[in-house]
Amino acid sequence: MKQKLNLYLAAPRGFCAGVDRAIKIVEMAIEKWGAPVYVRHEIVHNKYVVDGLRDKGAVFVEELDECPTDRPVIFSAHGVPKSVPAAAEHRNMIYVDATCPLVSKVHIEADRHNQNGLQMVMIGHAGHPETIGTMGQLPEGEVLLVETPADVATLTPRDEDKLAYITQTTLSVDDTVEIVKALQNRFPNIVGPHKEDICYATTNRQEAVKAVAPKIDALLVIGAPNSSNSKRLVEVGSNAGCNYSQLVQRAKDIDWRAMDGVKSVGITAGASAPEILINEVIDAFKDRYDVTTEIVETAVENVEFKVPRVLREPA
């Protein structure tokens, strides 16, 4: 007889509007211009999604100079430094920018502060494509990066009274609050965004995990190891009291020994994980346990972003 198990499905989970739009952009570009279409950097951080698009005719490269000039190139949802579209124009390439509109909003913000003579402090993760893209909107030295509250103490801005801060869109909401506090304590005149730059999808997924946490013995986050928002969900689960909070890419990655004696499991997914992988994990539990599922919903998302006009026009 199968052991009973309660599965709590966090909602919202999985794809966000920016990821949805980015994937659609690649598919529509292949439809419009035929294969191959080049994509600079993984369009979104998910192997299953990337492999699926590769099968349809997308070629993923790390840098623009790996692309031939006679094929279209797409820039990933994470955003790119200003130098990248400039280089594409210089080479007379057709390019489509799949940067998430909420990341573009941060780029515009940084630009505006820069025009007003403010130096930027970016709260983000060094080396993450989104951070590289956002810092690359402004000239060298105009954006200072902080990753932790401790980093704030070591900042050496040009002028302490002429600062503004922006954040990566996929950070932990709680961690960011601490860093912002440290910035405001040290630089009382620092200018912040009207509303946090952390996007609605990141915030909503973290809130849903917090709501699920008290009900469960273990949390599984479906997502990629290089996905910032997925890794933050694991941390949020741990901080909310889940003794076992783990990232898995697919059902085959579940450590079933760790599930011994567990009576309730929470399931969520990062913003670039498709529903098919979530269902795969649920099915794996149903194979092994007598499962009762419950949805824990903390928000309803109905955001949709239009694809660029170039893709809506006939070839």
Side-chain angles (χ1 to χ4, degrees):
M1 202 164 118
K2 285 181 182 173
Q3 192 187 323
K4 284 191 184 320
L5 181 82
N6 293 322
L7 275 191
Y8 291 95
L9 309 180
R13 62 177 180 274
F15 275 6
C16 63
V19 164
D20 232 0
R21 171 179 178 268
I23 293 166
K24 210 176 282 168
I25 285 173
V26 179
E27 291 173 339
M28 288 173 77
I30 293 168
E31 230 164 89
K32 176 168 178 162
W33 290 298
V37 162
Y38 285 75
V39 185
R40 184 188 176 278
H41 192 73
E42 287 187 351
I43 186 76
V44 297
H45 284 157
N46 188 278
K47 184 180 178 329
Y48 180 89
V49 172
V50 168
D51 288 347
L53 292 171
R54 196 180 276 122
D55 291 345
K56 291 179 181 173
V59 177
F60 292 90
V61 297
E62 280 308 308
E63 294 303 337
L64 195 66
D65 56 20
E66 298 169 58
C67 307
T69 51
D70 60 349
R71 296 305 302 160
V73 62
I74 295 164
F75 305 144
S76 84
H78 310 99
V80 292
K82 265 192 180 153
S83 56
V84 176
E89 275 171 25
H90 181 69
R91 295 176 67 193
N92 292 322
M93 296 172 80
I94 294 174
Y95 68 88
V96 187
D97 190 353
T99 301
C100 171
L102 299 177
V103 174
S104 299
K105 182 180 130 282
V106 180
H107 291 182
I108 292 161
E109 217 178 309
D111 216 36
R112 195 185 70 237
H113 287 314
N114 181 251
Q115 305 288 333
N116 294 335
L118 301 180
Q119 192 178 11
M120 302 302 313
V121 176
M122 176 159 191
I123 303 171
H125 295 292
H128 187 277
E130 187 189 326
T131 301
I132 293 167
T134 301
M135 291 179 75
Q137 298 306 302
L138 301 182
E140 189 77 35
E142 287 304 309
V143 188
L144 307 170
L145 182 67
V146 293
E147 298 190 78
T148 64
D151 291 345
V152 175
T154 63
L155 282 180
T156 50
R158 243 194 332 267
D159 179 342
E160 298 201 349
D161 293 325
K162 289 193 173 167
L163 285 177
Y165 74 86
I166 48 176
T167 82
Q168 194 177 319
T169 60
T170 53
L171 301 177
S172 151
V173 176
D174 298 336
D175 291 351
T176 305
V177 168
E178 294 305 311
I179 300 172
V180 169
K181 265 192 215 145
L183 282 169
Q184 289 168 335
N185 287 340
R186 188 170 164 208
F187 310 111
N189 294 331
I190 195 165
V191 179
H194 296 301
K195 196 181 166 301
E196 282 309 326
D197 293 326
I198 296 172
C199 78
Y200 79 92
T202 298
T203 307
N204 288 349
R205 278 150 194 68
Q206 290 178 18
E207 286 304 316
V209 165
K210 288 177 191 174
V212 166
K215 306 173 188 289
I216 57 177
D217 305 320
L219 175 73
L220 292 183
V221 177
I222 299 150
N226 59 343
S227 159
S228 171
N229 76 83
S230 304
K231 291 197 294 198
R232 300 299 79 80
L233 291 173
V234 175
E235 290 165 11
V236 169
S238 291
N239 295 338
C242 286
N243 292 330
Y244 184 84
S245 184
Q246 211 60 34
L247 185 71
V248 293
Q249 294 197 67
R250 303 282 304 253
K252 64 177 172 49
D253 303 322
I254 299 169
D255 178 0
W256 295 106
R257 287 168 315 185
M259 297 295 144
D260 264 5
V262 165
K263 293 185 170 56
S264 54
V265 174
I267 290 180
T268 187
S272 39
E275 194 64 25
I276 191 166
L277 300 188
I278 300 163
N279 292 333
E280 182 186 277
V281 167
I282 295 168
D283 289 343
F285 275 99
K286 285 180 174 169
D287 287 345
R288 286 173 169 79
Y289 296 91
D290 174 8
V291 168
T292 311
T293 53
E294 190 183 316
I295 292 170
V296 179
E297 185 169 62
T298 52
V300 177
E301 293 178 349
N302 46 19
V303 180
E304 204 176 313
F305 296 132
K306 271 203 185 106
V307 298
R309 188 182 293 128
V310 64
L311 292 172
R312 289 178 272 146
E313 295 163 348

